[in-house]
Amino acid sequence: MHNNSLQAPYLNSLMTAGANLELSYNELAPHASDRMAAALAIAKHAKEVQRQVKFIAISASTSGIKGLAEAGGGFVTFSLVN
């Protein structure tokens, strides 16, 4: 089930307030393309506000993972699963 508290605008507001985040990638959205879009928005905001974001349980073969890392500009890390 999708958790509405994991919406990108809410998470971005937490980072703006000074929080570093650890997020379960699969809980960002119910569909893969929506998850990546949300993760990219969060990563870009993390870079803007210079806060750390760690996406946990993300598959190493996830399409777009390199772009996600680049969007975060050093403020995004991953806990990869196979």
Side-chain angles (χ1 to χ4, degrees):
M1 184 153 113
H2 178 63
N3 184 345
N4 287 331
S5 68
L6 293 181
Q7 301 266 337
Y10 173 72
L11 296 170
N12 287 346
S13 70
L14 291 175
M15 286 188 291
T16 299
N20 292 318
L21 303 176
E22 276 193 23
L23 305 170
S24 175
Y25 179 76
N26 288 328
E27 292 183 17
L28 291 176
H31 302 293
S33 61
D34 296 334
R35 279 193 294 272
M36 184 53 71
L40 282 168
I42 293 165
K44 289 175 185 176
H45 190 72
K47 181 180 176 182
E48 289 173 15
V49 297
Q50 299 185 348
R51 304 309 306 168
Q52 295 293 320
V53 175
K54 182 176 186 177
F55 293 104
I56 56 175
I58 185 171
S59 173
S61 63
T62 298
S63 177
I65 196 168
K66 181 179 177 189
L68 182 56
E70 290 170 351
F75 291 94
V76 173
T77 58
F78 305 100
S79 174
L80 301 174
V81 294
N82 214 357

Short mmCIF file of all heavy atoms in Angstrom, two decimals, residues 1 6-7 13 16 20 23 33-34 36 39-40 43-44 47 52 62-63 66 73 77 79 81:
data_model
loop_
_atom_site.label_atom_id
_atom_site.label_comp_id
_atom_site.label_asym_id
_atom_site.label_seq_id
_atom_site.Cartn_x
_atom_site.Cartn_y
_atom_site.Cartn_z
N MET A 1 0.84 -1.18 0.00
CA MET A 1 0.00 0.00 0.00
C MET A 1 0.88 1.24 0.00
O MET A 1 1.90 1.31 0.67
CB MET A 1 -0.89 -0.01 1.23
CG MET A 1 -1.85 1.14 1.25
SD MET A 1 -3.31 0.73 2.19
CE MET A 1 -3.14 1.81 3.56
N LEU A 6 4.96 9.86 2.12
CA LEU A 6 6.21 9.82 1.36
C LEU A 6 6.12 10.59 0.04
O LEU A 6 6.89 10.35 -0.87
CB LEU A 6 6.62 8.37 1.10
CG LEU A 6 7.02 7.57 2.34
CD1 LEU A 6 7.44 6.17 1.96
CD2 LEU A 6 8.15 8.26 3.09
N GLN A 7 5.21 11.52 -0.05
CA GLN A 7 5.09 12.36 -1.23
C GLN A 7 6.29 13.31 -1.29
O GLN A 7 6.71 13.86 -0.27
CB GLN A 7 3.79 13.16 -1.18
CG GLN A 7 2.55 12.28 -1.11
CD GLN A 7 1.97 12.00 -2.45
OE1 GLN A 7 2.18 12.74 -3.39
NE2 GLN A 7 1.21 10.93 -2.55
N SER A 13 10.02 19.34 2.12
CA SER A 13 9.87 20.31 3.21
C SER A 13 10.65 19.87 4.45
O SER A 13 11.20 20.71 5.17
CB SER A 13 8.38 20.53 3.56
OG SER A 13 7.83 19.39 4.19
N THR A 16 14.22 20.83 3.71
CA THR A 16 14.37 22.28 3.83
C THR A 16 14.50 22.68 5.29
O THR A 16 15.25 23.58 5.64
CB THR A 16 13.18 23.00 3.16
OG1 THR A 16 13.16 22.65 1.77
CG2 THR A 16 13.29 24.50 3.30
N ASN A 20 17.99 15.04 7.25
CA ASN A 20 18.56 14.08 6.31
C ASN A 20 17.58 12.91 6.29
O ASN A 20 16.99 12.57 7.32
CB ASN A 20 19.94 13.61 6.77
CG ASN A 20 20.97 14.72 6.69
OD1 ASN A 20 21.01 15.49 5.75
ND2 ASN A 20 21.80 14.81 7.71
N LEU A 23 15.04 6.68 2.87
CA LEU A 23 13.74 6.34 2.30
C LEU A 23 13.76 4.99 1.62
O LEU A 23 14.69 4.68 0.88
CB LEU A 23 13.35 7.40 1.26
CG LEU A 23 13.35 8.85 1.73
CD1 LEU A 23 13.21 9.77 0.53
CD2 LEU A 23 12.23 9.06 2.71
N SER A 33 7.74 4.06 -12.83
CA SER A 33 8.05 5.37 -13.42
C SER A 33 7.74 6.49 -12.44
O SER A 33 8.46 7.50 -12.39
CB SER A 33 7.29 5.57 -14.72
OG SER A 33 5.90 5.53 -14.49
N ASP A 34 6.70 6.33 -11.65
CA ASP A 34 6.35 7.33 -10.64
C ASP A 34 7.38 7.36 -9.51
O ASP A 34 7.70 8.42 -8.98
CB ASP A 34 4.96 7.07 -10.06
CG ASP A 34 3.86 7.21 -11.09
OD1 ASP A 34 4.05 7.96 -12.08
OD2 ASP A 34 2.81 6.58 -10.91
N MET A 36 10.61 6.65 -9.80
CA MET A 36 11.81 7.32 -10.28
C MET A 36 11.59 8.82 -10.37
O MET A 36 12.47 9.61 -10.01
CB MET A 36 12.25 6.76 -11.64
CG MET A 36 13.55 7.36 -12.15
SD MET A 36 14.97 7.31 -11.01
CE MET A 36 15.36 5.58 -11.00
N ALA A 39 11.78 10.12 -6.86
CA ALA A 39 13.16 10.04 -6.38
C ALA A 39 14.02 11.13 -7.01
O ALA A 39 14.85 11.75 -6.32
CB ALA A 39 13.75 8.66 -6.67
N LEU A 40 13.83 11.41 -8.29
CA LEU A 40 14.58 12.47 -8.95
C LEU A 40 14.26 13.83 -8.35
O LEU A 40 15.16 14.65 -8.12
CB LEU A 40 14.30 12.48 -10.46
CG LEU A 40 15.03 11.41 -11.26
CD1 LEU A 40 14.45 11.33 -12.68
CD2 LEU A 40 16.51 11.69 -11.31
N ALA A 43 15.99 13.95 -5.01
CA ALA A 43 17.44 14.06 -5.18
C ALA A 43 17.85 15.48 -5.57
O ALA A 43 18.82 16.04 -5.04
CB ALA A 43 17.93 13.06 -6.22
N LYS A 44 17.13 16.08 -6.49
CA LYS A 44 17.43 17.44 -6.92
C LYS A 44 17.28 18.42 -5.76
O LYS A 44 18.10 19.32 -5.57
CB LYS A 44 16.54 17.85 -8.09
CG LYS A 44 16.89 17.14 -9.39
CD LYS A 44 15.92 17.48 -10.49
CE LYS A 44 16.22 16.67 -11.73
NZ LYS A 44 15.23 16.90 -12.79
N LYS A 47 20.15 18.17 -3.28
CA LYS A 47 21.32 18.91 -3.76
C LYS A 47 21.15 20.41 -3.52
O LYS A 47 22.08 21.07 -3.06
CB LYS A 47 21.53 18.63 -5.25
CG LYS A 47 22.73 19.32 -5.85
CD LYS A 47 22.86 18.98 -7.32
CE LYS A 47 24.01 19.75 -7.97
NZ LYS A 47 24.09 19.43 -9.41
N GLN A 52 21.45 15.17 3.02
CA GLN A 52 21.72 13.80 2.59
C GLN A 52 20.42 13.00 2.45
O GLN A 52 19.56 13.08 3.31
CB GLN A 52 22.63 13.09 3.60
CG GLN A 52 24.01 13.70 3.70
CD GLN A 52 24.82 13.53 2.44
OE1 GLN A 52 24.79 12.48 1.79
NE2 GLN A 52 25.54 14.57 2.06
N THR A 62 17.97 -0.98 -11.36
CA THR A 62 16.90 -0.01 -11.59
C THR A 62 17.29 0.94 -12.72
O THR A 62 18.37 1.54 -12.69
CB THR A 62 16.61 0.80 -10.31
OG1 THR A 62 16.16 -0.09 -9.29
CG2 THR A 62 15.56 1.87 -10.55
N SER A 63 16.42 1.04 -13.70
CA SER A 63 16.67 1.94 -14.81
C SER A 63 16.67 3.38 -14.30
O SER A 63 15.77 3.81 -13.61
CB SER A 63 15.56 1.77 -15.85
OG SER A 63 15.74 2.67 -16.90
N LYS A 66 21.75 5.72 -12.32
CA LYS A 66 22.92 6.59 -12.54
C LYS A 66 22.46 8.05 -12.62
O LYS A 66 23.08 8.94 -12.02
CB LYS A 66 23.67 6.20 -13.81
CG LYS A 66 24.89 7.06 -14.06
CD LYS A 66 25.62 6.64 -15.31
CE LYS A 66 26.79 7.59 -15.56
NZ LYS A 66 27.41 7.37 -16.85
N GLY A 73 23.97 15.01 -7.04
CA GLY A 73 25.25 15.68 -6.94
C GLY A 73 26.04 15.42 -5.67
O GLY A 73 26.56 16.35 -5.07
N THR A 77 22.80 8.71 -1.62
CA THR A 77 23.45 7.41 -1.52
C THR A 77 22.38 6.33 -1.62
O THR A 77 21.19 6.61 -1.54
CB THR A 77 24.24 7.26 -0.19
OG1 THR A 77 23.33 7.45 0.90
CG2 THR A 77 25.38 8.26 -0.11
N SER A 79 21.34 2.04 -0.70
CA SER A 79 21.52 0.75 -0.12
C SER A 79 20.92 -0.24 -1.13
O SER A 79 19.70 -0.35 -1.25
CB SER A 79 20.80 0.64 1.22
OG SER A 79 20.86 -0.67 1.72
N VAL A 81 19.98 -3.60 -3.41
CA VAL A 81 19.59 -5.00 -3.29
C VAL A 81 19.76 -5.65 -4.65
O VAL A 81 19.77 -4.98 -5.68
CB VAL A 81 18.14 -5.18 -2.78
CG1 VAL A 81 18.02 -4.67 -1.36
CG2 VAL A 81 17.14 -4.52 -3.69
#
